[in-house]
Amino acid sequence: MKIDILTLFPEMFNIFNYSIIGRAKENGILNINAVNIRDYSEDKHKKVDDYPYGGGAGMLMAPQPLVDAISAVKNYNKGKVIFLGPRGTSFNHEMALTLSKEQDLIFICGHYEGIDERVYNYIDMEISLGDFILTGGEMACVPIVDSICRLIPGVLSTSESYKDESFYDGLLEYPQYTRPVSFRGEEVPEILLSGHHENIRKWRRLQSLRLTQKRRSDLFKKVKLTKEDRKLLNTFK
């Protein structure tokens, strides 16, 4: 996948040179490029913002640098143009999975009080990380891009690395344990030491169901319970 990120602070995306995403880049699975919006400003001081018409606090990102940056990137990246802003649809795992199937993507990181309304004519999609304020779109872009990239085949070592995680099937992940068996008076559940894979699978499924029902009832209401799920919940109340 090819991802171009339009930003005023390209250095913030050096984080993608490390760990799992960094290895995927080295292996040619991902191509993540940060594009400096200021490089496309026609102002001699590389200014990218201006005062809003009608007054008001703060500054707006001007249309010229942004639109020209989008047009330049579109010459080699034909992907959706995604703006990270408060009007957008809230990001979730389902959206990450859908976007991970794209070949190319372009992200725009906003700043100041937002962008000139006319820039929306060049945007295909707007995503919000949540109902809170950040200092810039870069802060939202990092987790969104990371969430998308780790779902691309080959980025993680095996498909199980993400298929068992929270939200993959609409449920929170089951509790997990490692050595030692006993830690400060708390023991690893005996079933996990049994070696009985089918019983372990059922235990993990039940724990995921219970955790989701208790802590994220909104998610639990959307889960399509199987006959086995109902039996597990009824048997082990």
Side-chain angles (χ1 to χ4, degrees):
M1 176 184 279
K2 181 188 300 175
I3 296 176
D4 282 277
I5 303 169
L6 279 56
T7 172
L8 298 179
F9 301 98
E11 62 275 9
M12 293 183 69
F13 296 98
N14 290 338
I15 191 171
F16 291 132
N17 294 328
Y18 302 95
S19 190
I20 292 170
I21 303 301
R23 288 196 298 271
K25 288 176 64 179
E26 291 175 358
N27 293 333
I29 300 171
L30 297 173
N31 182 351
I32 302 176
N33 180 45
V35 177
N36 195 333
I37 297 169
R38 293 187 190 278
D39 291 343
Y40 295 90
S41 174
E42 294 177 351
D43 181 81
K44 65 179 181 180
H45 301 297
K46 297 300 180 182
K47 186 178 179 182
V48 296
D49 61 335
D50 213 329
Y51 294 102
Y53 282 116
M59 307 283 277
L60 286 178
M61 294 185 74
Q64 180 273 312
L66 271 173
V67 171
D68 284 356
I70 294 168
S71 297
V73 171
K74 276 289 189 178
N75 286 325
Y76 59 86
N77 184 327
K78 306 301 181 184
K80 289 184 173 70
V81 178
I82 301 171
F83 176 59
L84 305 173
R87 299 182 189 174
T89 304
S90 292
F91 188 72
N92 57 26
H93 180 77
E94 183 179 355
M95 191 183 299
L97 192 59
T98 298
L99 291 175
S100 72
K101 298 173 183 177
E102 298 285 335
Q103 293 295 315
D104 304 319
L105 291 171
I106 300 170
F107 288 91
I108 302 175
C109 301
H111 259 276
Y112 313 115
E113 294 302 311
I115 61 175
D116 186 294
E117 189 69 20
R118 292 165 290 187
V119 179
Y120 279 99
N121 294 326
Y122 303 86
I123 291 170
D124 300 306
M125 181 180 185
E126 185 170 1
I127 294 175
S128 170
L129 194 59
D131 296 334
F132 51 89
I133 307 299
L134 296 170
T135 55
E138 290 81 8
M139 302 297 188
C141 190
V142 169
I144 288 172
V145 170
D146 181 79
S147 179
I148 293 168
C149 288
R150 67 196 311 278
L151 295 173
I152 297 170
V155 172
L156 299 183
S157 57
T158 63
S159 60
E160 287 76 22
S161 294
Y162 64 81
K163 286 186 177 180
D164 286 337
E165 292 177 335
S166 293
F167 309 117
Y168 183 82
D169 60 356
L171 296 173
L172 298 180
E173 190 176 8
Y174 48 79
Q176 298 202 66
Y177 301 83
T178 187
R179 297 176 183 178
V181 172
S182 179
F183 178 72
R184 298 181 182 176
E186 293 193 54
E187 308 289 325
V188 173
E190 288 188 14
I191 194 167
L192 298 179
L193 308 175
S194 68
H196 195 299
H197 297 299
E198 179 61 12
N199 286 347
I200 291 172
R201 182 192 66 78
K202 289 181 179 179
W203 181 87
R204 286 175 167 171
R205 181 67 180 179
L206 175 61
Q207 299 308 309
S208 287
L209 290 166
R210 282 177 169 172
L211 277 172
T212 308
Q213 188 176 35
K214 181 179 179 180
R215 300 187 184 180
R216 290 295 303 274
S217 59
D218 58 318
L219 291 178
F220 189 78
K221 291 175 183 177
K222 300 176 183 178
V223 175
K224 294 182 179 179
L225 298 177
T226 65
K227 289 183 179 179
E228 182 185 63
D229 291 339
R230 294 190 181 91
K231 183 177 180 180
L232 286 170
L233 288 168
N234 291 329
T235 304
F236 301 98
K237 289 184 177 179

